[in-house]
């Protein structure tokens, strides 16, 4: 049950962008993640959410997100075509474009042993790459000295 007093949905009209922000908040995204997803500033996301909260009479983001999940998503039902959430799509898109994980990282589900093995693998590969680069540079220097 919702603690806050809110107006009937029929009386409220959100802009498309406000509705997008509320939907993404309901999926658990932060303002920064929503901003990246929609291509707007995090402060703009906060403004859209604040307006929606005010119009519906909620006092915090969690309340409006809970309301959204309980009312809007339950009426629409899950989209059978959507196999990934917006957060997962954003994560995949960011990793493909930048090759880096999102700000704040993702939860690491590896055991301590698996983490140690992963760190060791990265260390060994780094040493091998550095050795190859040093050998290449020294070889070039050697060849240049032979020509002189």
């Amino acid at each position: 049950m919702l603690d806050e007093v809110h107006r009937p949905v029929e009386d409220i009209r959100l802009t498309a962008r406000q509705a997008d922000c509320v939907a993404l908040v309901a999926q658990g995204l932060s303002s920064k993640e929503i901003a990246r997803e929609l291509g707007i500033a995090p402060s703009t996301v906060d403004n859209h959410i604040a307006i929606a909260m005010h119009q519906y009479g909620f006092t915090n983001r969690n309340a409006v997100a809970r309301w959204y999940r309980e009312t809007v998503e339950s009426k629409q039902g899950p989209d059978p075509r959507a196999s990934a959430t917006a957060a997962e799509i954003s994560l995949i898109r960011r990793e493909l474009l930048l090759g880096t994980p999102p700000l704040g990282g993702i939860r690491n589900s590896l055991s301590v042993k698996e983490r140690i093995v992963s760190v060791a693998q990265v260390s060994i590969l780094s040493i091998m790459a550095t050795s190859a680069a040093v050998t290449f540079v020294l070889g070039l220097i050697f060849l240049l000295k032979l020509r002189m």
Side-chain angles (χ1 to χ4, degrees):
M1 182 176 161
L2 300 175
D3 302 326
E4 291 82 2
V5 176
H6 58 277
R7 299 182 201 148
V9 178
E10 299 80 26
D11 297 344
I12 301 169
R13 298 284 181 248
L14 295 178
T15 65
R17 192 59 95 184
Q18 291 167 347
D20 290 342
C21 289
V22 170
L24 292 171
V25 165
Q27 292 179 8
L29 274 68
S30 70
S31 292
K32 287 182 181 180
E33 292 169 327
I34 295 170
R36 278 193 297 268
E37 179 74 21
L38 299 178
I40 58 179
S43 60
T44 305
V45 171
D46 290 337
N47 289 337
H48 288 319
I49 294 168
I51 291 168
M53 286 171 24
H54 175 73
Q55 288 183 340
Y56 285 111
F58 294 112
T59 56
N60 61 51
R61 293 169 67 113
N62 293 334
V64 76
R66 186 173 61 239
W67 169 84
Y68 183 87
R69 285 191 300 271
E70 290 175 359
T71 58
V72 176
E73 287 182 355
S74 64
K75 288 179 185 175
Q76 293 175 349
D79 186 356
R81 298 170 295 159
S83 60
T85 65
E88 292 168 336
I89 292 169
S90 176
L91 173 65
I92 292 167
R93 184 181 307 143
R94 178 176 169 82
E95 287 181 355
L96 289 176
L97 291 177
L98 301 177
T100 60
L103 294 176
I106 55 176
R107 173 157 275 166
N108 188 342
S109 60
L110 297 177
S111 69
V112 174
K113 181 181 177 181
E114 291 170 326
R115 289 179 192 177
I116 292 171
V117 168
S118 295
V119 169
Q121 289 174 338
V122 169
S123 300
I124 291 169
L125 287 174
S126 298
I127 290 169
M128 291 173 60
T130 303
S131 298
V134 168
T135 304
F136 178 76
V137 169
L138 290 175
L140 284 178
I141 293 171
F142 180 75
L143 286 176
L144 290 174
K145 284 186 176 182
L146 283 179
R147 288 188 153 191
M148 291 182 177

